[in-house]
Amino acid sequence: MKRIITLSLLLLVCITIIFNACQSQAELDYARYYVNGKGLYEAHCQNCHGEDGKGLGQLYPPLTDSLFLKRNRTKLGCIIKNGLSGKIEINGQEFDGQMPAETQMTNMEIAQLVTYITNSFGNKNGLYDVNAAAADIKNCDK
């Protein structure tokens, strides 16, 4: 009887592991974009926007305003690619600095970075794939 219970528990654990290991392609894509975006954020953005995305006082805006990121999601790729200068309001606070352009970034890198930013720091906006990034960047106002 003890052996049957042990085997049953082992079988249950195996089934649980197999079930949890099966992710959809969308979940795998999201995870891949997010992880790669985190590395890009650390290399290109974290110095100004901070490890926690809260920015730096009046100098650099936070990336924690979910509403701003959601409303401007189609503009984020352009902002990353071409930089930003002039006044911008985030969380009711005005910033008037200059963000450098990341012209060397590919559409895939921008998609990964936007996926990370829009799903970190309290944000939950889902996958922003390379096709969306390419379309948005193609339509940038220059």
Side-chain angles (χ1 to χ4, degrees):
M1 182 61 129
K2 185 176 181 181
R3 183 178 171 157
I4 292 174
I5 292 173
T6 303
L7 287 173
S8 297
L9 287 174
L10 182 61
L11 180 62
L12 181 62
V13 168
C14 289
I15 289 171
T16 302
I17 290 170
I18 290 170
F19 180 75
N20 287 330
C22 296
Q23 292 180 316
S24 71
Q25 187 60 47
E27 291 169 322
L28 293 171
D29 288 345
Y30 171 82
R32 188 175 66 247
Y33 275 65
Y34 185 88
V35 167
N36 291 332
K38 184 178 190 305
L40 290 164
Y41 179 83
E42 290 168 351
H44 297 273
C45 312
Q46 183 171 299
N47 193 43
C48 295
H49 294 286
E51 186 176 345
D52 57 5
K54 291 184 179 177
L56 183 59
Q58 294 279 7
L59 295 175
Y60 304 110
L63 301 173
T64 55
D65 186 342
S66 297
L67 187 56
F68 176 86
L69 293 175
K70 187 175 183 177
R71 285 181 179 163
N72 293 283
R73 190 165 181 167
T74 60
K75 297 176 185 174
L76 296 177
C78 295
I79 292 170
I80 293 166
K81 187 80 168 183
N82 301 317
L84 182 68
S85 62
K87 292 182 181 180
I88 185 171
E89 186 177 316
I90 299 177
N91 281 338
Q93 187 175 0
E94 196 170 272
F95 296 87
D96 190 11
Q98 185 165 351
M99 183 177 131
E102 296 288 346
T103 57
Q104 78 288 354
M105 278 195 172
T106 65
N107 290 344
M108 177 57 87
E109 290 171 324
I110 290 172
Q112 293 166 340
L113 183 55
V114 170
T115 295
Y116 177 74
I117 290 169
T118 60
N119 289 283
S120 298
F121 321 122
N123 304 307
K124 296 290 179 210
N125 290 304
L127 178 67
Y128 179 78
D129 73 10
V130 68
N131 296 323
D136 290 344
I137 291 167
K138 183 179 177 184
N139 294 321
C140 288
D141 295 330
K142 297 203 179 200

